[in-house]
Amino acid sequence: MTTEPIKDWATDYDIFDPEYIKDPYPVWDELRGKCPIAHTERWGSSWMPTKHADVYAIAQDVEHFSSANPLVVPVVPPEGFEQTGDDQRFLGVGAPPISSDGYEHTWTRRLLLPPFSLKSMEKWIPVTRAHCRSLIDGFIENGRADAAADYAQQIPPYVIAKMLGIPSEMSGTFTQWVQEFLEFGLQNFAMASEARNKILTFLWQQITEKKKNPGDDLISYLVQADVDGEPVPDQHVLGTCFLLLVAGIDTTWSSIGSALWHLAQHPEDRARLVAEPELMDTGVEELLRAYAPVTMARVLTEDYEYNGCKMAAGDKVLMSFPAANRDPERFKDPDKVIIDRAENPHIAFGAGIHRCAGSNLARMEMRVALQEWLARIPDFRLEDPENVTWAGGQVRGPRSMPVVFG
Amino acid sequence: MRIKVDNDKCQGHNRCITVAQELFDLDEYGYSHEKQDGAVPKELEEKARLAVANCPERAIKIVSD
């Protein structure tokens, strides 16, 4: 892994650079002005479009831009890495439909959409609300909390565990596994590989159990589903469960955390959301736009020139949805957070056929988390803005964020 | 005013139904379509415009009567 200083963001960008993770916005502004599709060789050849028009166009062009691997760093074992039995056992397990193209994408996605529909989310609102309330009960008397670690981080793993029908007491373990796989693991193959094996082994046990004793939960739904009259292959059920666990945790935790980070520093926005609760819908969309956490990758299927960039087969493209959402050509005053922004066609959940399948869940969790927090803690501030730590790479959000109430 | 959802473009973001639930229905997968024949009553024209403006896929069009 290169750790050399960045020579030029246009030709040598580094999404793991600590300063970029803390504040990526000036970098995107500069790139949009002089070289809107940046390039780097840091993890093999990859490109990063920063204009909405380019991110959007590439998201629609699934013929040239495959989703076969949504991670930018190549998954290559380091020299001397010895495969374990589990590595071999889980070799072909993907994460459908996020890692699928073509027909496989179509049917695996159709399988997943009904349980994540707007209507299906209604049943999880009270579960989420009760959980948020109990989290707040745990720290409100202290007059302070870590809004990222004690609150934002605790919500998505609990809800997805409930949905999958697996013990919610395991939430902390899931969070740790997902961080090892996706956050620290992006730059540490052995750690990622071990975490992946732990998650898959656990899920496989759960799937085997649900086959014998199905319940009213997502894993049971998947093992009992049929596609064109055929049961869903075990490998797909496993891969999809893996996706649900991995994709649903640090993403939403990051959006809730970033939303609280913004509100901690903007009393006027807090006051408006408290006084005018009907603004929560536009408020959530605006916070999603301004602090979109997720940047997925695409892989070039063949040599292809896009907008003057000569991309080669196998090159990656980093779909910077967060940069697209700050493009002044698409959004008026993009760096201003306007809680009641009426026109906001943001692409925090991506665009095209890979639009985040969990977007309704993420929105619900965000809305409930902010409603409950503001109802009990309408006034709060960052203890020390310099002490907030951020995770970056392909999912950006605060990981430690001490706040003081009142 | 009349609206039309382009089914090839809609990806189920569900922004339209949040902005203007009177004008859209979703199928079981979350893809949107205009209610009935897409006719927009006068009092909902502003909501229809907002649905168009908030669609990330530019999938909703206002078509003339």
Side-chain angles (χ1 to χ4, degrees):
Chain A
M1 191 67 51
T2 319
T3 49
E4 283 179 21
I6 297 149
K7 290 181 275 278
D8 175 358
W9 278 94
T11 56
D12 184 34
Y13 68 80
D14 183 1
I15 58 167
F16 301 105
D17 174 71
E19 287 307 308
Y20 174 81
I21 289 172
K22 261 180 114 166
D23 189 17
Y25 308 107
V27 172
W28 298 331
D29 285 344
E30 191 193 323
L31 288 172
R32 264 187 232 106
K34 68 170 194 188
C35 176
I37 302 179
H39 182 255
T40 193
E41 291 284 347
R42 284 183 182 247
W43 324 279
S45 177
S46 72
W47 306 81
M48 181 169 70
T50 53
K51 285 194 172 192
H52 180 281
D54 291 324
V55 176
Y56 181 78
I58 291 171
Q60 306 295 335
D61 182 356
V62 294
E63 195 184 316
H64 293 107
F65 302 93
S66 157
S67 285
N69 186 355
L71 301 180
V72 68
V73 178
V75 191
V76 182
E79 218 172 300
F81 180 81
E82 279 184 43
Q83 260 194 356
T84 65
D86 277 344
D87 287 328
Q88 282 160 6
R89 186 172 154 221
F90 298 131
L91 199 60
V93 179
I98 204 172
S99 60
S100 316
D101 296 314
Y103 177 65
E104 180 189 276
H105 172 265
T106 308
W107 75 258
T108 52
R109 185 176 174 87
R110 284 180 93 83
L111 192 61
L112 213 49
L113 290 176
F116 284 90
S117 70
L118 202 54
K119 197 168 171 49
S120 298
M121 283 311 116
E122 284 170 16
K123 117 178 212 203
W124 299 105
I125 295 173
V127 175
T128 309
R129 199 175 296 287
H131 182 60
C132 289
R133 284 182 185 170
S134 91
L135 290 171
I136 297 170
D137 287 342
F139 52 65
I140 192 155
E141 297 300 327
N142 304 338
R144 55 196 299 124
D146 186 324
D150 300 336
Y151 192 64
Q153 176 182 338
Q154 304 298 327
I155 299 163
Y158 178 89
V159 179
I160 198 69
K162 288 277 180 199
M163 288 180 72
L164 287 167
I166 55 188
S168 54
E169 298 75 43
M170 295 272 303
S171 300
T173 312
F174 297 152
T175 303
Q176 193 188 329
W177 288 346
V178 169
Q179 278 192 289
E180 286 170 2
F181 177 71
L182 211 57
E183 189 176 325
F184 315 125
L186 270 190
Q187 296 177 93
N188 182 337
F189 182 87
M191 185 192 270
S193 172
E194 207 188 318
R196 178 174 177 272
N197 288 337
K198 283 192 252 182
I199 300 171
L200 290 172
T201 303
F202 171 79
L203 288 172
W204 184 243
Q205 285 164 356
Q206 296 294 319
I207 290 167
T208 313
E209 178 56 32
K210 304 279 184 196
K211 276 189 165 175
K212 281 185 267 173
N213 300 304
D216 179 20
D217 56 64
L218 258 174
I219 297 182
S220 302
Y221 162 81
L222 290 169
V223 297
Q224 293 177 99
D226 67 86
V227 173
D228 301 335
E230 297 284 326
V232 182
D234 288 345
Q235 180 139 319
H236 273 290
V237 174
L238 184 57
T240 291
C241 290
F242 180 77
L243 168 67
L244 296 180
L245 199 62
V246 172
I249 292 187
D250 65 339
T251 50
T252 312
W253 150 24
S254 296
S255 344
I256 298 171
S258 294
L260 289 170
W261 180 78
H262 174 87
L263 293 174
Q265 300 172 92
H266 291 87
E268 70 289 5
D269 288 341
R270 289 199 304 266
R272 279 201 81 184
L273 288 173
V274 170
E276 302 165 77
E278 67 279 9
L279 292 183
M280 195 50 93
D281 276 343
T282 51
V284 163
E285 297 307 327
E286 178 65 346
L287 292 163
L288 279 165
R289 181 193 68 80
Y291 303 106
V294 180
T295 301
M296 287 284 110
R298 299 286 193 267
V299 192
L300 266 290
T301 55
E302 59 183 351
D303 292 355
Y304 181 61
E305 186 169 332
Y306 175 81
N307 229 348
C309 300
K310 290 194 170 63
M311 301 178 176
D315 280 7
K316 296 272 173 74
V317 178
L318 268 169
M319 304 296 282
S320 190
F321 304 120
N325 282 348
R326 297 271 191 146
D327 183 353
E329 283 178 21
R330 186 72 172 123
F331 299 94
K332 201 173 164 229
D333 291 330
D335 292 327
K336 260 195 208 152
V337 171
I338 302 166
I339 286 301
D340 58 354
R341 189 185 284 269
E343 299 188 3
N344 187 359
H346 70 79
I347 51 172
F349 294 110
I353 64 166
H354 285 277
R355 185 269 305 167
C356 171
S359 58
N360 291 317
L361 172 62
R363 286 192 169 103
M364 182 279 283
E365 289 181 358
M366 232 178 129
R367 192 169 57 241
V368 172
L370 296 182
Q371 282 169 341
E372 292 305 316
W373 179 284
L374 288 173
R376 308 272 295 279
I377 312 166
D379 202 11
F380 62 105
R381 60 180 168 80
L382 297 178
E383 186 184 61
D384 176 0
E386 291 305 309
N387 270 354
V388 178
T389 60
W390 295 82
Q394 292 188 244
V395 181
R396 177 179 180 270
R399 290 296 174 265
S400 172
M401 183 172 51
V403 297
V404 182
F405 311 152
Chain B
M1 183 191 279
R2 197 175 289 273
I3 47 165
K4 176 91 191 98
V5 178
D6 182 337
N7 299 117
D8 290 332
K9 286 189 174 172
C10 173
Q11 298 294 352
H13 290 258
N14 291 181
R15 297 291 304 283
C16 54
I17 196 142
T18 309
V19 174
Q21 57 173 351
E22 303 89 337
L23 299 174
F24 301 92
D25 274 326
L26 302 177
D27 70 11
E28 63 174 310
Y29 302 105
Y31 297 109
S32 176
H33 50 95
E34 65 281 358
K35 273 189 177 161
Q36 292 154 10
D37 59 354
V40 180
K42 194 94 189 137
E43 68 276 15
L44 292 176
E45 285 186 356
E46 184 50 29
K47 281 196 173 189
R49 277 189 205 97
L50 277 180
V52 171
N54 279 286
C55 178
E57 307 286 353
R58 300 185 176 98
I60 311 164
K61 292 272 179 290
I62 292 177
V63 289
S64 49
D65 277 317

